[in-house]
Amino acid sequence: MTSVTPWWKALKLRKEILSASGQIDDVQMSLFRAVHATGADRPPYADAGYYGDITHPTERLIDLLTEIAVRVGGGADYLKARAVTRLDQGMGGGKSHACIGAYHLAANSEVLLGTELGQRVAERAKAKMGRPLAGDLGRPHVVVLPCDNMTPGAGVKELDGPAGNLYERFLWRLFSKDYTLFERYQPFWSDKHKIAEAVRAVNRPVLIIIDEVLDYIGNGLDGTNRTDLAAQDMGFLRALLDVVNDVPHVATLVVMIASDTDKTALSAAAQDRRDDLNSLLDRNGLPATVTEVGDFADILRRRLFDAEPAAEVLAATAALYEPVLADKAWSKQVWDTVGADWRRRWSAETASCYPFHPMLMSLAKEEWSKVTGFQRVRSTIRIFAATVYALQQRGKVGEWVPALIGPGDLPLSDSTVREALLGSGLVEDERTIANYRSLAEIEVVNHDGSSGTACRQDLERSTNAWTQTNPRAAERAATFIFLASIVGTLRPGRGRGASAPEVKAATGVPDASYTITDADSVIDELVNPSRGMSALDINPGQGNNKPARYFLSTRLTHRMLVNNIRRTITDAERDQVIADFAQKLASSGPFRDLKFVPADPERNAADVLAAAGLDTAYTTRLIVLDPVQYSLRNGMEKPTLEALTVAIGLGQGARKLPVQWASSAIYAIVNTQRRGLARGLAVEYLARQKALEAPEIQSDDELKATGIKDLAVARQQLEKAIKRAYQHVAYLAQPDPDAARYLDQLTFEDDNFTALDGTMVWKGLAARDKVFDAGQFGSKALLHNLRDQDYGKTLSDVRAAFYSAPRLPLLYGGDRDLQQAIYDAVSGGLVSIVDGVGTEVAVTAPGQVNLSSTGLRLARAQPKTCPTCDQPIHEGNCPANGSNATDDNAIHSTGVSPGASLSSGPQEQGPGRTGSDNGQIPAPAKDRQVAFSFTSNLLARSDSADGFAALFRAFYMTLDERQISYLQGTIQLVIQAGAAEQIQQRLEDLGISANFKEI
């Protein structure tokens, strides 16, 4: 280890961190200070060069600044970039940092473009436009509205001049305090044309930055108690967001945290304003983020150190650890068990994370960043800045410093490090923070490194082969247990507390003399009930697959425990419990099948539905869509509507799927806003569920009883919210058979109705005539819904139509209802069932109506014939003898009884057959031959064309209904050239040759 330059010598901390003794003050950057502060209050990052120096060029930040650069300074290529961008990340995600970068890009273009960040932006802009950017971007004018530093209705004279409302403040900044121009446009706060004219009047590209707008339009406007001011300000924002899309060389950057992650309590009016602005931003712009967890290491190193480490130092440091990482005992008992993926890419991971150990960086990225209250970039920088400063000070005085800073190396004896951890948002409850502050000193190490259970064990340990290379082994193990404990009683994706292999890994050093056996002995001593940490909760585990886990416990009330756990609930856990409840609460009702389509974040919504296997034949289906991926309303419904359009077979181009049974699929979809309420209650339910499972609760009868009661209430509230959230029903509709099919929706306004209840959905659809309710479908309803072309179709085709044709309502009893209706219609003489040659088939029961038959057809009712003379019977009277054919006294001499079956159809009658009166009865003609010719000048009479159109329409109908058995003829006509091509194609399809010539 002595042959490798230690990190605290290889890297130089930035001056501002050294001068503040590790307490980095400007992590939370302020756009207001960067633009307006002067003198001693002016922060270093107000200088564009310094800003570029400390800013790591993340891909997302480059994308954001490139869009702005092209929009304002791209000349004729400005349309290649979006006009409106919304930064919607939660607290500590880098929004203010990005706004300051956008400001410097426009206000100090040449300086920023000279930094590494600016060069990357220029490169990407050149690739986007196909030519270089202008160095000054056309000298943009920047309008900054720092809404978190504005009081509605109370302007600051130095900054706002005579302005009162937000529009006037915008104008004062736009015109650089030009009072004449200000007065000219002052009255037009909602006039889009005038606002656009004002922006053009600057005669330069314009960048508009609106920071933390919710601070202004939310409770800020409520405080004025002025409805006129609220109306003016919202009217201006609506107009502005529409205008900037239409004015060349204008870009707008708006900061407003997404509703799902913003916990700000708002009044009903403020909530309405936020929803209104959300919709505007969804319609006019695109959301963007500027950091992701993968950027942590690079952001940290750029922010903390003023230069990159030498490549030989990185290589030498990585090589130090190779023997221990390859050691079989360590691999089997530690590395393989903790899932150390970074070990397989060790050299690259070391170079990326240096001077931090990949295990510590993984902890920050995969666990800390998922805790709701943790401000990802901001909190991590504070913790790590305090850590590197404290450890560097140790190194300077000759104390031991790890070769890489691991998860057990955060020096809790340093008050700055400890308070940065406890104040980071990982622990939110003040009482819990106080408890953990005490635990850090009592169980780990005190402020001067002289006491604390773990510290004493290290100090009292007898000298051995590894004490010089790992003198703080117990303290490092206890520190990691402390970190794993403050994240919450349940670490996201890991379980409660720290596992034994993780704790051993935290004690590791690049020294072969420190073996896995030594690590075991350190841990055993630390967790010993009589000599170890007294506040330690131990789950002994079961074998290698379930190792022991350790947790530093504070005595909490049930409410405190729930609050602590609540922040550890991940979005994935929250959404999964909603999906699980939705499946359990859903009921099919009259629908034959109930399906649930789970979300797949790796694929888009349309692809998930397309591959879900939803097109089931002859089955009415209620399909419940996972609320994670599908929702309607609140400006976020576009992907869901596109997916539903594809699923019902109405997609276009490559998205058009061969869907046959879409009419019988009904979709239950969640409401976006109500989903947000359900998500909040899902977090509460999960927190109470996990709290109830915690040992602190299970071992305390009083707390356990409270936990059971609270969990039951939370479950009831969650179920109610999920039912209410499923407010929408979507289905394929075609009320007019001659009109196009379309996606229709049904929305339940009554909170007592839910799309998860198949019976309620069916009732709602019955009111829309999409379905028949119980008992509504009979023989008359059957005939009413049949069209002329339906007669002659097979029973199988008729059955299929009731599941595939949206013009036909769905049947409550499905096939049973259709069988009964056909049977009743046949029995009542309203329709007939015939075989392939047209012979009527007898049906004696509904069950005998074979709906799967492709040989039997549904036909119009055939006239009844006398069983003796084979003549049609009209109103019960036989034409052969004038008497009632069903009367026993009127039976013909053939001896056929009145009860004989008529289902075999009409019998053939020979030419010499006679009736009961021995008179000759001619057989009725089955078909008629039609022959005619015509010649007509359609230009001579205005009604001739209509008459012939009606004639050929009648031909079409008879052909379509298979009523013509033979065709022969010649047609000669004069037709327009464009229409002639269509006729020629149709003739060629039929194999008919025709003579076409120009006249």
Side-chain angles (χ1 to χ4, degrees), residues 270-320:
Q271 178 66 51
D272 289 342
R273 290 192 292 270
R274 174 164 72 175
D275 291 343
D276 188 13
L277 190 55
N278 261 327
S279 298
L280 287 168
L281 291 171
D282 287 338
R283 184 181 70 198
N284 291 295
L286 292 174
T289 57
V290 290
T291 61
E292 52 187 344
V293 292
D295 301 324
F296 271 14
D298 292 320
I299 292 173
L300 281 170
R301 192 152 68 203
R302 180 66 70 98
R303 195 71 177 87
L304 302 182
F305 306 104
D306 66 359
E308 290 293 306
E312 57 270 21
V313 173
L314 295 176
T317 303
L320 281 177

Coordinates of all heavy atoms in Angstrom, one line a residue, residues 270-320:
A270 N -55.2 26.4 -5.2 CA -53.8 26.2 -5.7 C -53.6 24.9 -6.4 O -52.8 24.8 -7.4 CB -52.9 26.3 -4.5
Q271 N -54.3 23.9 -5.9 CA -54.2 22.6 -6.6 C -54.8 22.7 -8.0 O -54.2 22.1 -9.0 CB -55.0 21.5 -5.8 CG -55.0 20.1 -6.4 CD -53.6 19.5 -6.5 OE1 -52.9 19.5 -5.5 NE2 -53.2 19.0 -7.7
D272 N -55.9 23.4 -8.2 CA -56.4 23.6 -9.5 C -55.5 24.4 -10.4 O -55.4 24.0 -11.6 CB -57.8 24.4 -9.4 CG -58.9 23.6 -8.8 OD1 -58.7 22.3 -8.8 OD2 -59.9 24.1 -8.3
R273 N -54.8 25.4 -9.8 CA -53.8 26.1 -10.7 C -52.6 25.2 -11.1 O -52.2 25.3 -12.2 CB -53.3 27.3 -9.9 CG -54.4 28.4 -9.7 CD -53.8 29.7 -9.3 NE -53.3 29.7 -7.9 CZ -54.0 30.0 -6.8 NH1 -55.2 30.3 -6.9 NH2 -53.4 29.9 -5.6
R274 N -52.2 24.4 -10.1 CA -51.1 23.4 -10.5 C -51.6 22.5 -11.6 O -50.8 22.2 -12.6 CB -50.6 22.7 -9.3 CG -49.6 21.6 -9.7 CD -48.8 21.1 -8.5 NE -49.6 20.2 -7.7 CZ -49.1 19.5 -6.6 NH1 -47.8 19.6 -6.3 NH2 -49.9 18.7 -5.9
D275 N -52.8 21.9 -11.5 CA -53.3 21.0 -12.5 C -53.4 21.7 -13.8 O -53.1 21.1 -14.9 CB -54.6 20.4 -12.1 CG -54.5 19.5 -10.9 OD1 -53.4 19.1 -10.6 OD2 -55.6 19.2 -10.3
D276 N -53.8 23.0 -13.8 CA -54.0 23.7 -15.0 C -52.6 23.9 -15.7 O -52.4 23.7 -16.9 CB -54.6 25.1 -14.7 CG -54.9 25.9 -16.0 OD1 -54.9 25.3 -17.1 OD2 -55.2 27.1 -15.9
L277 N -51.6 24.3 -14.9 CA -50.3 24.5 -15.4 C -49.6 23.2 -15.9 O -48.9 23.1 -16.9 CB -49.4 25.2 -14.4 CG -48.0 25.7 -14.9 CD1 -48.2 26.6 -16.1 CD2 -47.3 26.4 -13.8
N278 N -49.9 22.1 -15.1 CA -49.4 20.8 -15.6 C -49.9 20.4 -17.0 O -49.2 20.0 -17.8 CB -49.9 19.7 -14.6 CG -48.9 19.3 -13.6 OD1 -47.7 19.3 -13.8 ND2 -49.3 19.0 -12.4
S279 N -51.2 20.7 -17.2 CA -51.8 20.4 -18.5 C -51.1 21.2 -19.6 O -50.8 20.8 -20.7 CB -53.3 20.6 -18.5 OG -53.9 19.8 -17.6
L280 N -50.9 22.5 -19.3 CA -50.3 23.4 -20.3 C -48.9 22.9 -20.6 O -48.4 22.9 -21.8 CB -50.2 24.8 -19.7 CG -51.5 25.6 -19.7 CD1 -51.4 26.9 -18.8 CD2 -52.0 25.9 -21.1
L281 N -48.1 22.5 -19.6 CA -46.7 22.1 -19.8 C -46.7 20.8 -20.5 O -45.8 20.5 -21.4 CB -46.0 22.0 -18.5 CG -45.7 23.3 -17.8 CD1 -45.2 23.1 -16.4 CD2 -44.7 24.1 -18.6
D282 N -47.7 19.9 -20.2 CA -47.7 18.6 -21.0 C -48.1 18.8 -22.4 O -47.5 18.1 -23.3 CB -48.8 17.7 -20.3 CG -48.4 17.1 -19.0 OD1 -47.2 17.1 -18.7 OD2 -49.3 16.8 -18.2
R283 N -48.9 19.9 -22.7 CA -49.3 20.1 -24.1 C -48.2 20.8 -24.9 O -48.0 20.6 -26.1 CB -50.6 21.0 -24.1 CG -51.2 21.2 -25.5 CD -52.4 22.0 -25.4 NE -52.1 23.4 -25.0 CZ -53.0 24.3 -24.5 NH1 -54.2 23.9 -24.3 NH2 -52.6 25.5 -24.1
N284 N -47.6 21.8 -24.2 CA -46.6 22.7 -25.0 C -45.2 22.3 -24.9 O -44.4 22.7 -25.7 CB -46.8 24.1 -24.5 CG -48.1 24.7 -24.9 OD1 -48.4 24.9 -26.0 ND2 -48.9 25.0 -23.9
G285 N -44.8 21.4 -24.0 CA -43.4 21.1 -23.8 C -43.1 19.7 -23.4 O -44.0 18.9 -23.3
L286 N -41.9 19.4 -23.2 CA -41.5 18.1 -22.8 C -40.8 18.1 -21.5 O -40.0 19.0 -21.2 CB -40.5 17.5 -23.8 CG -41.1 17.2 -25.2 CD1 -40.0 16.7 -26.2 CD2 -42.2 16.1 -25.1
P287 N -41.0 17.1 -20.6 CA -40.3 17.1 -19.3 C -38.8 16.6 -19.5 O -38.5 15.9 -20.5 CB -41.1 16.0 -18.5 CG -41.7 15.1 -19.5 CD -41.9 16.0 -20.7
A288 N -38.0 17.0 -18.6 CA -36.6 16.7 -18.8 C -35.9 16.6 -17.4 O -36.4 17.2 -16.4 CB -35.8 17.7 -19.6
T289 N -34.9 15.7 -17.3 CA -34.1 15.6 -16.1 C -32.7 15.9 -16.5 O -32.3 15.7 -17.6 CB -34.2 14.3 -15.4 OG1 -33.9 13.2 -16.3 CG2 -35.7 14.0 -14.9
V290 N -31.9 16.3 -15.5 CA -30.5 16.6 -15.9 C -29.5 15.7 -15.2 O -28.3 15.8 -15.5 CB -30.2 18.1 -15.5 CG1 -30.9 19.0 -16.4 CG2 -30.5 18.4 -14.1
T291 N -29.9 14.9 -14.3 CA -29.0 13.9 -13.6 C -29.7 12.6 -13.5 O -30.9 12.5 -13.5 CB -28.6 14.4 -12.2 OG1 -29.7 14.5 -11.4 CG2 -27.8 15.7 -12.3
E292 N -28.9 11.5 -13.4 CA -29.4 10.2 -13.0 C -28.4 9.6 -12.1 O -27.3 10.0 -12.0 CB -29.7 9.4 -14.3 CG -28.5 9.3 -15.2 CD -28.9 8.6 -16.5 OE1 -30.0 7.9 -16.5 OE2 -28.2 8.7 -17.5
V293 N -28.8 8.5 -11.5 CA -27.9 7.9 -10.4 C -26.6 7.5 -11.0 O -25.6 7.5 -10.3 CB -28.6 6.7 -9.7 CG1 -29.8 7.2 -8.9 CG2 -29.1 5.7 -10.8
G294 N -26.5 7.2 -12.3 CA -25.3 6.8 -12.9 C -24.3 7.9 -13.0 O -23.1 7.7 -13.3
D295 N -24.7 9.1 -12.8 CA -23.8 10.3 -12.9 C -23.2 10.6 -11.6 O -22.3 11.5 -11.5 CB -24.6 11.5 -13.4 CG -25.2 11.3 -14.7 OD1 -24.6 10.7 -15.6 OD2 -26.4 11.8 -15.0
F296 N -23.6 10.0 -10.5 CA -23.2 10.3 -9.1 C -21.7 10.5 -9.0 O -21.1 11.5 -8.6 CB -23.7 9.3 -8.1 CG -25.0 9.6 -7.6 CD1 -25.8 10.6 -8.2 CD2 -25.5 8.9 -6.5 CE1 -27.1 10.8 -7.7 CE2 -26.7 9.2 -5.9 CZ -27.5 10.2 -6.6
A297 N -20.9 9.4 -9.4 CA -19.5 9.4 -9.2 C -18.8 10.6 -9.9 O -17.9 11.3 -9.4 CB -18.9 8.1 -9.6
D298 N -19.2 10.8 -11.2 CA -18.5 11.8 -12.0 C -18.9 13.2 -11.4 O -18.0 14.1 -11.4 CB -19.0 11.7 -13.4 CG -18.4 10.5 -14.1 OD1 -17.3 10.1 -13.9 OD2 -19.2 9.9 -14.9
I299 N -20.1 13.4 -11.0 CA -20.5 14.7 -10.4 C -19.8 15.0 -9.2 O -19.3 16.1 -8.9 CB -22.1 14.7 -10.2 CG1 -22.8 14.7 -11.5 CG2 -22.5 15.9 -9.3 CD1 -24.3 14.5 -11.3
L300 N -19.7 13.9 -8.3 CA -18.9 14.1 -7.1 C -17.5 14.5 -7.3 O -17.0 15.4 -6.6 CB -19.0 12.8 -6.3 CG -20.3 12.5 -5.5 CD1 -20.3 11.1 -5.0 CD2 -20.5 13.5 -4.4
R301 N -16.8 13.8 -8.1 CA -15.4 14.0 -8.3 C -15.2 15.4 -8.9 O -14.3 16.1 -8.5 CB -14.8 13.0 -9.2 CG -13.2 13.0 -9.2 CD -12.6 11.7 -9.5 NE -12.9 11.2 -10.9 CZ -12.9 10.0 -11.2 NH1 -12.6 9.0 -10.3 NH2 -13.1 9.6 -12.5
R302 N -16.0 15.8 -9.8 CA -15.9 17.2 -10.4 C -16.2 18.2 -9.4 O -15.5 19.3 -9.4 CB -16.8 17.3 -11.6 CG -16.8 18.6 -12.3 CD -15.4 18.9 -13.0 NE -15.3 18.0 -14.2 CZ -15.5 18.3 -15.4 NH1 -15.9 19.6 -15.7 NH2 -15.3 17.5 -16.4
R303 N -17.1 18.0 -8.5 CA -17.6 19.0 -7.5 C -16.6 19.1 -6.4 O -16.4 20.2 -5.8 CB -19.0 18.6 -7.0 CG -19.7 19.7 -6.3 CD -20.1 20.8 -7.2 NE -20.8 21.8 -6.6 CZ -20.3 22.9 -6.0 NH1 -19.0 23.0 -6.0 NH2 -21.0 23.8 -5.4
L304 N -15.9 18.0 -6.0 CA -15.1 18.0 -4.8 C -13.6 18.2 -5.1 O -12.9 18.8 -4.3 CB -15.2 16.6 -4.1 CG -16.6 16.2 -3.7 CD1 -16.5 14.8 -2.9 CD2 -17.2 17.2 -2.8
F305 N -13.1 17.8 -6.3 CA -11.7 17.9 -6.6 C -11.5 18.8 -7.8 O -12.3 18.8 -8.7 CB -11.1 16.5 -6.8 CG -11.4 15.6 -5.6 CD1 -12.3 14.6 -5.7 CD2 -10.7 15.7 -4.4 CE1 -12.6 13.7 -4.7 CE2 -10.9 14.9 -3.4 CZ -11.9 13.9 -3.5
D306 N -10.4 19.4 -7.9 CA -10.1 20.4 -9.0 C -9.4 19.8 -10.1 O -9.0 20.5 -11.1 CB -9.4 21.6 -8.5 CG -8.0 21.4 -8.0 OD1 -7.6 20.2 -8.0 OD2 -7.3 22.3 -7.6
A307 N -9.1 18.5 -10.1 CA -8.4 17.8 -11.2 C -8.7 16.3 -11.2 O -9.0 15.7 -10.1 CB -6.9 18.0 -11.1
E308 N -8.5 15.7 -12.3 CA -8.7 14.2 -12.4 C -7.5 13.5 -11.9 O -6.4 14.0 -12.0 CB -9.0 13.8 -13.9 CG -10.4 14.3 -14.4 CD -11.5 13.6 -13.7 OE1 -11.5 12.3 -13.7 OE2 -12.4 14.3 -13.2
P309 N -7.7 12.3 -11.3 CA -6.5 11.5 -10.9 C -5.7 11.0 -12.0 O -6.2 10.8 -13.1 CB -7.1 10.4 -10.1 CG -8.5 10.2 -10.7 CD -8.9 11.6 -11.1
A310 N -4.4 10.8 -11.8 CA -3.5 10.2 -12.8 C -3.9 8.8 -13.1 O -4.3 8.0 -12.2 CB -2.1 10.3 -12.4
A311 N -3.8 8.4 -14.4 CA -4.2 7.0 -14.8 C -3.3 6.0 -14.0 O -3.9 4.9 -13.7 CB -4.0 6.9 -16.3
E312 N -2.0 6.2 -13.8 CA -1.2 5.2 -13.1 C -1.6 5.1 -11.7 O -1.5 4.0 -11.1 CB 0.3 5.6 -13.2 CG 0.6 7.0 -12.6 CD 0.5 8.1 -13.7 OE1 -0.1 7.9 -14.7 OE2 1.2 9.1 -13.4
V313 N -2.2 6.1 -11.0 CA -2.7 6.0 -9.7 C -3.9 5.1 -9.6 O -4.1 4.3 -8.7 CB -3.0 7.4 -9.1 CG1 -3.6 7.3 -7.7 CG2 -1.7 8.2 -8.9
L314 N -4.8 5.3 -10.6 CA -6.0 4.5 -10.7 C -5.7 3.1 -10.9 O -6.2 2.2 -10.2 CB -6.9 5.0 -11.8 CG -7.5 6.4 -11.7 CD1 -8.3 6.8 -13.0 CD2 -8.4 6.5 -10.5
A315 N -4.7 2.8 -11.8 CA -4.4 1.4 -12.1 C -3.7 0.8 -10.9 O -4.0 -0.4 -10.5 CB -3.4 1.4 -13.3
A316 N -2.8 1.5 -10.2 CA -2.1 0.9 -9.0 C -3.1 0.7 -7.9 O -3.0 -0.3 -7.2 CB -1.0 1.9 -8.6
T317 N -4.0 1.6 -7.7 CA -5.0 1.4 -6.6 C -5.9 0.2 -6.9 O -6.1 -0.6 -5.9 CB -5.9 2.7 -6.4 OG1 -5.0 3.8 -6.2 CG2 -6.8 2.5 -5.3
A318 N -6.3 0.0 -8.1 CA -7.2 -1.1 -8.4 C -6.4 -2.4 -8.2 O -6.9 -3.4 -7.7 CB -7.6 -1.0 -9.9
A319 N -5.1 -2.4 -8.6 CA -4.3 -3.6 -8.5 C -4.1 -4.0 -7.0 O -3.9 -5.2 -6.7 CB -2.9 -3.4 -9.1
L320 N -4.1 -3.1 -6.1 CA -4.0 -3.4 -4.7 C -5.1 -4.4 -4.2 O -4.8 -5.3 -3.4 CB -4.1 -2.1 -3.8 CG -2.9 -1.2 -3.7 CD1 -3.3 0.0 -2.9 CD2 -1.7 -1.9 -3.0

